[in-house]
Amino acid sequence: MSIRVVVIGNGIVGASAAYHLSLRGAAVTVIDRPRAGRATDAGAGIICPWVDHEEDDAWYRLALEGARYYATLAGLLAEDGEPDTGYAPVGALLVDEDPGGLAPVEALLRRRHPSAPDMGDISVEDRPADLFPPLAPGLTALRVDGAARVDGRALRDALERASVGRGARVRGGEAALTSSGAPLLDGTVLDADAVVVAAGAWTGEVCRPIGLAVPVGPRRGQIVHTELPGADAEGWPIVLPRRGPYLLGFPGSRVVLGATVEDAGFDPRTTVGGVAEVLSGGVRIAPGLAGATVVETRSGLRPVTADGRPLLGPVGGHGGNGGPGNVVVATGLGAYGLTAGPYAGMIAACLALGERPPLDVSPYSAHPDERRACGVPTPKAG
């Protein structure tokens, strides 16, 4: 009989977990109550892991492997008839008004390059506006050829369709756990051997009945989608300023700007102040966007932890209906959900099935003592 696994949450992590479980022949039920503010719906889609997490090797490893996994995932989805995920290697420009301001990040990139050759060539660009035309003149930039972008909504939808095509069921309703770890759907216990909780910023609420205080909460990020008349932005590189919002192009004339970083609780609204911050910062670095049309604003509640490191791993021997299964938590990716989310979902699927994952998950344990034992850095003030 197939192992029965319930996945709670259908953002990028949950959809990936469900897909990889279905690939392995599990009987998968996804419980999803679409919530305003789901992080995947407001992810810009930047995949450039080599410039961050300088002081946290475990976080960097997860992001790095997440970026690398896209090639494998694209192949799997193509075999399942889902080739369109919006993924494209377009490179990135790290820009600054001060040529000396990029020296630290260049040193970091060159230090990491021998163990991460997939970042591609690193080169100095004296005229970055030749590659991203709306940029202001006089900027200097480093180009990182291996960076990519992805359409988070398109990828999540492709994962869901592929899962359903392999027999997974997606059910709407309110998900919770019993004190023994059995999954509930609208108060009714479901039969399950294992549960994957990938409920983003709401994961703590779902896990509360099993007595685990999951240290995760929301951080709001607002982004703006624009259209620049006459532009063909599909091949433009991602722009990552040292200060101010990022910019990235998509097929047609769409250019995305973002994102705010706000501790606003579970408030998913887009606000005048947030949109103004993104637009004013974007036009400062790229004055050529001043005439673009604002076509959409999005706001997402990114799941973040107190120490900044993700949560990924089993939380004990909690089984459905007294069975031998477990509860696996996968959340806390913050602004890197689309970088690491598909890979984290694959790891969660391995853990739910009792398989050995391709990455040591002990640094991402949900248990505070275990996180400390793995050397989780203390958050910096401010």
Side-chain angles (χ1 to χ4, degrees):
M1 181 166 46
S2 298
I3 295 177
R4 302 161 301 176
V5 184
V6 169
V7 178
I8 298 175
N10 200 21
I12 195 68
V13 178
S16 175
Y19 176 62
H20 288 92
L21 286 162
S22 68
L23 279 174
R24 289 162 168 78
V28 182
T29 299
V30 179
I31 304 176
D32 185 46
R33 190 188 82 177
R35 299 175 185 261
R38 182 161 61 184
T40 298
D41 292 340
I46 297 169
I47 304 171
C48 186
W50 313 284
V51 299
D52 293 311
H53 308 301
E54 183 175 5
E55 298 179 359
D56 190 338
D57 289 342
W59 220 141
Y60 174 60
R61 283 197 301 273
L62 181 60
L64 179 65
E65 296 303 328
R68 288 173 171 168
Y69 189 64
Y70 265 91
T72 299
L73 182 60
L76 292 172
L77 286 171
E79 291 177 3
D80 274 332
E82 296 290 346
D84 184 13
T85 62
Y87 176 81
V90 294
L93 294 173
L94 313 177
V95 304
D96 201 339
E97 297 162 312
D98 174 12
L102 294 172
V105 70
E106 181 177 7
L108 175 65
L109 289 169
R110 297 199 182 280
R111 188 164 66 248
R112 284 176 164 174
H113 193 277
S115 61
D118 39 318
M119 76 170 66
D121 291 339
I122 306 163
S123 58
V124 176
E125 294 288 345
D126 294 325
R127 296 171 56 87
D130 289 348
L131 301 172
F132 196 101
L135 286 175
L139 296 173
T140 189
L142 288 173
R143 178 167 180 158
V144 183
D145 283 344
R149 55 127 170 101
V150 67
D151 184 328
R153 290 183 177 183
L155 176 58
R156 193 215 68 85
D157 291 349
L159 288 165
E160 181 182 299
R161 287 192 298 266
S163 300
V164 171
R166 288 179 171 272
R169 296 187 300 164
V170 179
R171 302 180 63 179
E174 187 69 33
L177 297 176
T178 68
S179 60
S180 65
L184 294 168
L185 173 58
D186 291 332
T188 299
V189 177
L190 302 181
D191 292 330
D193 301 302
V195 182
V196 174
V197 183
W202 295 271
T203 297
E205 173 186 325
V206 173
C207 291
R208 189 171 295 115
I210 65 176
L212 180 67
V214 178
V216 65
R219 179 164 293 154
R220 187 168 68 189
Q222 300 184 52
I223 65 174
V224 179
H225 284 237
T226 69
E227 288 184 355
L228 187 60
D232 182 5
E234 181 173 4
W236 290 358
I238 301 159
V239 174
L240 300 173
R242 191 157 169 261
R243 290 175 296 275
Y246 53 70
L247 314 169
L248 64 161
F250 280 90
S253 57
R254 182 158 292 217
V255 180
V256 177
L257 302 82
T260 62
V261 180
E262 306 171 79
D263 292 319
F266 285 94
D267 181 354
R269 295 175 302 134
T270 52
T271 64
V272 170
V275 172
E277 176 187 332
V278 170
L279 291 178
S280 61
V283 170
R284 183 184 62 80
I285 199 78
L289 293 177
T293 303
V294 175
V295 295
E296 186 179 4
T297 60
R298 299 181 185 179
S299 178
L301 302 179
R302 295 166 170 171
V304 295
T305 60
D307 57 38
R309 186 179 285 183
L311 297 166
L312 180 59
V315 295
H318 300 282
N321 292 342
N326 55 38
V327 175
V328 175
V329 169
T331 189
L333 298 175
Y336 304 89
L338 291 177
T339 298
Y343 186 69
M346 181 271 290
I347 289 176
C350 291
L351 293 169
L353 296 176
E355 299 176 2
R356 185 182 182 89
L359 185 73
D360 177 15
V361 298
S362 57
Y364 320 107
S365 172
H367 297 280
D369 290 344
E370 293 178 13
R371 290 170 81 83
R372 283 193 291 271
C374 289
V376 177
T378 302
K380 292 182 177 180

